[in-house]
Amino acid sequence: MAKIITIWGNSGSGKTTFACMLAKRLTRDKKKAIVVCPDAETPLLPVLFPNENIETSMSIGNVLSAVEIDNALVASKVVLYKPYPFIGVLGYTAGETPLSYPELEFKKVKSLIYAASSLVDYLILDCTASVISVFTPAAIESADVVVRILTADLFGVYYLMAHQPLLSDSRFKFDRHLSFAGKARPFQALDEMGHLIGGFAGILPYSKEIERGATSGEIFSSINLCGQKYAAALELVAKEVSQPEDAPQTEGKDDEQFK
């Protein structure tokens, strides 16, 4: 079974960029990863693969609305990142809307996570900013490692304060989340903001080059542009994922499992 990494936080903090870079980092020794992008309000498959015409039949919505969810169904909807086929993505396609499918069910989200985790070595869940949506709490509950990315400003602080009571149950492991300051700029009061939220485990500095890659469909390649602090954050998560108390990695997978 895969190690599961859940990434959540407020809008605009750079969650998707971090998720894609983390997938590239974790698969550099040719292990396999799936990035799950469950945002129906902003379909991410056309953002990540702007030069591909991905049919609606490949949408994650077809999985989450299925009567039964198994690993064969999930595998059939994974879109491979062709330049580096150790990474696949599950997400919504262009033209879909939040009303294209029935309302999400917690049980089905858990089934999707379980099925996807049987296909690869790493499953990265790139959550929306909404904790009210059942996907985010299901993803946090299922995770081996939870990454919390917040903008280093009052938007990030008060987002966290508003959502913390919703994740107070012990199964969400709130106090064990790794907090990062997303898209941090030199003029921001990082120390003060960190004090308000209990501290940052790392900083994800804003970068024009990374932003350009994220807006031009080259988000996975942006890992080559990240600086020392960003790279250190990726390494910290990779280290947490490989802690000895976690289950051993599954080996011997091949690209056909995505198809």
Side-chain angles (χ1 to χ4, degrees):
M1 301 294 285
K3 300 289 185 66
I4 301 173
I5 306 101
T6 292
I7 301 171
W8 74 288
N10 66 305
S11 297
S13 59
K15 297 186 296 297
T16 299
T17 298
F18 188 82
C20 293
M21 286 198 193
L22 182 62
K24 198 73 178 288
R25 162 60 186 86
L26 293 175
T27 58
R28 67 185 184 186
D29 57 355
K30 298 186 179 181
K31 284 184 165 59
K32 308 294 191 297
I34 291 176
V35 180
V36 181
C37 302
D39 191 347
E41 296 187 8
T42 306
L44 284 174
L45 285 179
V47 174
L48 300 179
F49 307 106
N51 299 318
E52 295 187 34
N53 184 20
I54 301 173
E55 298 180 358
T56 305
S57 62
M58 292 296 292
S59 173
I60 190 176
N62 293 309
V63 178
L64 291 169
S65 60
V67 176
E68 300 248 345
I69 298 175
D70 57 25
N71 55 6
L73 174 62
V74 172
S76 71
K77 305 304 180 186
V78 173
V79 179
L80 279 182
Y81 175 52
K82 293 178 181 177
Y84 189 80
F86 305 106
I87 298 173
V89 180
L90 282 167
Y92 290 95
T93 62
E96 296 190 282
T97 76
L99 300 178
S100 295
Y101 301 96
E103 187 174 349
L104 288 182
E105 298 178 12
F106 189 88
K107 181 179 179 181
K108 287 191 175 182
V109 172
K110 294 284 283 188
S111 294
L112 179 145
I113 292 171
Y114 180 80
S117 68
S118 71
L119 299 171
V120 289
D121 301 288
Y122 301 103
L123 182 64
I124 301 172
L125 306 175
D126 174 28
C127 298
T128 69
S130 174
V131 172
I132 297 175
S133 168
V134 298
F135 193 97
T136 302
I140 292 174
E141 182 183 49
S142 303
D144 296 299
V145 175
V146 180
V147 175
R148 180 167 56 217
I149 304 180
L150 305 167
T151 52
D153 51 28
L154 291 178
F155 291 102
V157 170
Y158 285 103
Y159 168 87
L160 184 62
M161 288 183 177
H163 289 76
Q164 182 172 356
L166 304 177
L167 300 171
S168 60
D169 192 283
S170 60
R171 72 182 190 274
F172 298 122
K173 306 174 287 285
F174 191 88
D175 294 335
R176 294 174 54 194
H177 297 186
L178 294 174
S179 292
F180 294 110
K183 295 188 177 180
R185 292 164 170 80
F187 59 81
Q188 290 180 309
L190 294 173
D191 290 340
E192 290 80 356
M193 295 302 165
H195 176 72
L196 290 173
I197 70 159
F200 288 119
I203 307 296
L204 308 177
Y206 173 80
S207 163
K208 290 182 179 179
E209 290 76 16
I210 291 176
E211 191 79 4
R212 189 176 297 114
T215 56
S216 63
E218 299 177 356
I219 190 168
F220 288 104
S221 299
S222 296
I223 192 171
N224 300 319
L225 305 172
C226 68
Q228 184 177 4
K229 289 183 178 180
Y230 207 118
L234 293 170
E235 290 303 318
L236 176 58
V237 177
K239 181 179 178 181
E240 287 293 317
V241 171
S242 64
Q243 288 300 309
E245 63 265 22
D246 291 338
Q249 298 290 337
T250 303
E251 299 179 351
K253 300 179 179 67
D254 55 41
D255 297 338
E256 292 300 315
Q257 288 183 290
F258 284 127
K259 298 178 182 178

